[in-house]
Amino acid sequence: MSRSLQFFTPSRAPYFTLHKLPSTSYTRFPVINIPSKKHYITITKSLSSDLDAASSQVLDSGNGQTGVSGVLSADNVVAVQSHEPSESGAAAGIEVDAVTEAELKENGFRSTRRTKLICTIGPATCGFEKLEALAVGGMNVARINMCHGTREWHQMVIEQVRRLNEEKGFAVAIMMDTEGSEIHMGDLGGAASVKAEDGEIWTFSVRAFGTPRPERTINVNYDGFAEDVKVGDELLVDGGMVRFEVIEKIGPDVKCRCTDPGLLLPRANLTFWRDGSLVRERNAMLPTISSKDWLDIDFGIAEGVDFIAISFVKSAEVIKHLKSYIAARSRGSDIAVIAKIESIDSLKNLEEIIQASDGAMVARGDLGAQIPLEQVPSAQQKIVQLCRQLNKPVIVASQLLESMIEYPTPTRAEVADVSEAVRQRADALMLSGESAMGQYPDKALAVLRSVSVRIEKWWREEKCHEAMVLPDVGTSFADSISEEICNSAAKMANNLEVDALFVYTKTGHMASLLSRCRPDCPIFAFTTTTSVRRRLNLQWGLIPFRLGFSDDMESNLNKTFSLLKARGMIKSGDLVIAVSDMLQSIQVMNVP
């Protein structure tokens, strides 16, 4: 009795069925007409004892053209391809991150970490050797925070990361994070941090002070600060890490008593509450992108960063305007815009903001200063799920391992928090002060890596394929086909327990669709462009390679198998599923 495998197109009935056939028999199916393409279907089965020698069979479609057949291997092979002319001049080499290559060689496919890791670079990690240690430890993206340091310093960090990639074989991407125009403190007179003790009286002032400034005095960047606050208001620093009560106003100075002691960091965000509610009217009037932010954005464009994260996004229009600005200023560049969700306004317009952006960041520190703390976990889960539904990468950030700024081991609560973010299938986790100014940046990164690997392994062992509804995101018929192919490929990968998914993509879109499905196996994403390769480093489960390839799928596969086998990253007999966004194809095969 034969078994069959059915394929569907969006909103259509099944348009063809593939049947398993007797040994060494072939069959030809009618041409399926899809706009601008003609697809040819062939199924091949061989029961020969000598299955190591791969071969192919080209069948006449009956209309004078030829379709590409399946590749013979130890198992049945299903091939669905378009017949299009191949490109010439593909590069012979292949580029992959050095750490990933070592992991694959040592522990195999299942050892690879799926959750991506971002490290904020600061005084503790800006040296070349420190950056290399982070890259070896699993850093996928280096974040520079424009709240701190000069543009010359940030330029130096960017140059160091690029040198690291070129000399050491990494593919670390660079994310630039804008300061935003919310109310925040000054630079603390050059000090890295200052401790505020319980009961101390501090002065928050809009005045410009000379050097040295008066003791326990902090500058505020917003001129109307003294007029807006009232005696009795509660002032929160950095989302509540330190709290003050306003006790007196003297002209431009506001006297405050520390009620919750803690560490004051340069340029920390300030919010104030009155009668149990956030005072937000003045913040709402400030522009999302300040004049300084625009200068920083120009700097990021000139330096060719991979991502620009925008702070305190209030509406989708801001994102659209910025993307138009980047497109006009950087012809041919590939800079993605990440919306930071950290205010009440962000939550009110959440879906529109995420839809307009290229990704989102759950900035829990500032978000926790604007909504009740007990609402932050549910807000995080909502943002993570919505981003996945809309096919946008999502970063969980702020205070993941806050205690490791000062201590070499995390609290058990912090480990549980990181585990939950991994369990929610967030694309990336981000270290802030832990890696920028902490005493143990390498150890903090190691905690994120080990927790991620362990929770992901548990998820796979328990077969926790959550029944998450993924709505259609395609805007055209061709996009819908790609989406259906990726959904089917991910499901097949789980059911067949394949070793890896291969995707050949020029723009990265089809790789992101596979990542959205969160399959059990790793996803090898092959692209021809260095910038696309780095950008894919932010997305869950993707192992990005740079490889020159053509529209001839069999040629691409043979070339890929040869290169990866030569480097010990795959071996004969490994089972893979291959898809392509150029040919809208899907193949299942063993590595010859």
Side-chain angles (χ1 to χ4, degrees):
M1 181 175 178
S2 66
R3 293 183 296 168
S4 65
L5 174 65
Q6 292 187 325
F7 290 74
F8 297 84
T9 53
S11 304
R12 284 169 166 74
Y15 60 83
F16 59 83
T17 302
L18 303 183
H19 296 274
K20 284 197 171 183
L21 304 173
S23 172
T24 64
S25 64
Y26 304 91
T27 188
R28 186 178 64 205
F29 293 85
V31 174
I32 294 97
N33 292 316
I34 295 178
S36 303
K37 295 182 183 288
K38 291 183 178 179
H39 292 235
Y40 308 89
I41 317 305
T42 302
I43 186 165
T44 307
K45 180 171 181 175
S46 174
L47 296 181
S48 169
S49 59
D50 183 14
L51 296 173
D52 292 333
S55 62
S56 61
Q57 180 74 25
V58 179
L59 301 181
D60 190 337
S61 67
N63 62 352
Q65 299 187 38
T66 56
V68 183
S69 75
V71 179
L72 294 176
S73 69
D75 292 320
N76 287 336
V77 175
V78 179
V80 183
Q81 290 187 312
S82 301
H83 181 78
E84 293 183 355
S86 64
E87 297 175 357
S88 61
I94 189 169
E95 296 178 11
V96 64
D97 182 85
V99 172
T100 301
E101 181 176 0
E103 287 180 351
L104 285 168
K105 288 180 179 178
E106 184 176 355
N107 300 314
F109 291 103
R110 300 285 167 168
S111 69
T112 57
R113 169 176 42 84
R114 314 299 199 264
T115 308
K116 301 306 178 71
L117 306 178
I118 304 172
C119 295
T120 302
I121 307 304
T125 48
C126 61
F128 185 79
E129 292 182 356
K130 293 289 187 180
L131 287 170
E132 183 178 3
L134 291 178
V136 171
M139 174 177 67
N140 301 109
V141 180
R143 170 182 176 251
I144 55 174
N145 187 354
M146 302 309 288
C147 288
H148 309 285
T150 63
R151 292 194 186 98
E152 290 74 22
W153 184 88
H154 291 301
Q155 186 177 42
M156 179 271 295
V157 172
I158 292 171
E159 290 172 354
Q160 296 278 55
V161 173
R162 291 205 171 120
R163 178 187 158 202
L164 180 70
N165 289 342
E166 292 172 4
E167 295 182 6
K168 304 294 184 178
F170 295 102
V172 177
I174 299 170
M175 176 183 292
M176 190 193 81
D177 198 327
T178 63
E179 182 177 302
S181 57
E182 299 294 284
I183 301 172
H184 58 77
M185 304 185 331
D187 60 5
L188 302 179
S193 63
V194 178
K195 186 69 178 292
E197 300 289 356
D198 189 30
E200 288 181 346
I201 306 300
W202 287 71
T203 300
F204 290 79
S205 177
V206 298
R207 288 188 291 154
F209 293 97
T211 303
R213 72 183 61 201
E215 187 179 8
R216 295 176 188 161
T217 300
I218 295 175
N219 277 117
V220 179
N221 72 323
Y222 169 51
D223 290 339
F225 178 74
E227 287 79 11
D228 285 350
V229 298
K230 296 181 179 180
V231 173
D233 284 353
E234 187 177 28
L235 184 65
L236 275 63
V237 179
D238 199 11
M241 297 307 292
V242 188
R243 292 173 184 255
F244 294 89
E245 180 186 359
V246 177
I247 60 173
E248 186 180 6
K249 293 169 58 175
I250 308 173
D253 299 339
V254 178
K255 299 287 185 179
C256 300
R257 178 187 293 111
C258 180
T259 56
D260 278 342
L263 207 60
L264 300 173
L265 303 178
R267 310 192 74 79
N269 179 253
L270 297 176
T271 54
F272 48 100
W273 290 62
R274 183 177 302 146
D275 299 327
S277 299
L278 176 71
V279 179
R280 55 184 295 271
E281 289 79 8
R282 186 61 60 180
N283 272 352
M285 294 174 62
L286 296 173
T288 297
I289 304 177
S290 67
S291 56
K292 177 184 180 298
D293 290 339
W294 284 115
L295 293 175
D296 290 339
I297 288 166
D298 284 337
F299 166 78
I301 293 172
E303 292 297 321
V305 300
D306 301 290
F307 306 95
I308 294 179
I310 300 300
S311 299
F312 301 103
V313 176
K314 299 180 178 71
S315 69
E317 294 306 314
V318 173
I319 299 295
K320 294 175 183 177
H321 177 55
L322 176 58
K323 292 178 76 171
S324 297
Y325 181 84
I326 292 172
R329 288 296 186 98
S330 57
R331 302 289 183 185
S333 72
D334 197 17
I335 300 175
V337 175
I338 305 297
K340 295 178 67 176
I341 310 300
E342 51 190 338
S343 69
I344 293 176
D345 296 297
S346 300
L347 294 177
K348 285 183 176 179
N349 304 303
L350 185 60
E351 185 167 349
E352 293 80 2
I353 289 172
I354 293 175
Q355 191 70 264
S357 70
D358 298 307
M361 180 189 297
V362 190
R364 306 181 304 176
D366 290 315
L367 186 61
Q370 298 213 2
I371 65 175
L373 290 175
E374 64 272 15
Q375 294 181 16
V376 173
S378 59
Q380 172 182 314
Q381 182 165 342
K382 178 181 179 181
I383 296 166
V384 170
Q385 290 181 345
L386 185 58
C387 283
R388 185 173 166 196
Q389 288 173 341
L390 297 178
N391 195 30
K392 309 286 184 174
V394 59
I395 305 160
V396 174
S398 303
Q399 303 168 354
L400 287 172
L401 300 171
E402 190 79 6
S403 69
M404 293 192 74
I405 292 177
E406 299 184 63
Y407 300 101
T409 56
T411 67
R412 304 307 179 261
E414 287 170 337
V415 172
D417 179 40
V418 172
S419 300
E420 177 62 14
V422 176
R423 191 196 63 78
Q424 290 175 1
R425 302 299 187 93
D427 287 86
L429 306 176
M430 190 179 92
L431 295 175
S432 298
E434 303 96 328
S435 59
M437 53 166 285
Q439 298 183 45
Y440 308 97
D442 296 350
K443 290 185 177 180
L445 182 61
V447 170
L448 289 191
R449 185 184 67 242
S450 61
V451 172
S452 297
V453 171
R454 183 65 192 91
I455 296 302
E456 292 163 2
K457 182 181 179 182
W458 167 80
W459 193 271
R460 292 191 297 272
E461 290 173 347
E462 295 298 319
K463 297 294 181 184
C464 297
H465 302 139
E466 73 274 39
M468 183 176 184
V469 177
L470 297 176
D472 295 339
V473 294
T475 57
S476 67
F477 184 53
D479 287 345
S480 296
I481 295 174
S482 295
E483 200 172 322
E484 290 293 328
I485 286 174
C486 288
N487 292 342
S488 298
K491 185 176 181 180
M492 290 169 66
N494 289 340
N495 292 340
L496 299 176
E497 297 184 349
V498 305
D499 294 298
L501 277 158
F502 284 14
V503 55
Y504 296 84
T505 175
K506 292 184 178 179
T507 65
H509 177 63
M510 204 158 184
S512 71
L513 289 173
L514 282 175
S515 171
R516 176 196 190 210
C517 294
R518 303 295 195 261
D520 281 352
C521 64
I523 305 164
F524 286 20
F526 302 97
T527 185
T528 57
T529 310
T530 300
S531 60
V532 173
R533 177 190 172 206
R534 288 197 304 263
R535 184 161 51 83
L536 293 178
N537 233 348
L538 182 63
Q539 299 194 30
W540 189 97
L542 296 183
I543 301 176
F545 296 75
R546 194 174 78 86
L547 172 70
F549 52 77
S550 69
D551 285 348
D552 183 345
M553 194 62 171
E554 288 200 53
S555 173
N556 293 336
L557 288 168
N558 291 333
K559 177 180 179 179
T560 305
F561 291 155
S562 176
L563 290 169
L564 294 181
K565 286 173 69 177
R567 295 175 70 153
M569 299 176 70
I570 61 173
K571 62 184 183 300
S572 296
D574 287 337
L575 183 62
V576 301
I577 292 178
V579 299
S580 165
D581 65 4
M582 293 97 61
L583 306 177
Q584 294 182 320
S585 64
I586 180 169
Q587 293 185 333
V588 183
M589 70 198 69
N590 286 98
V591 175

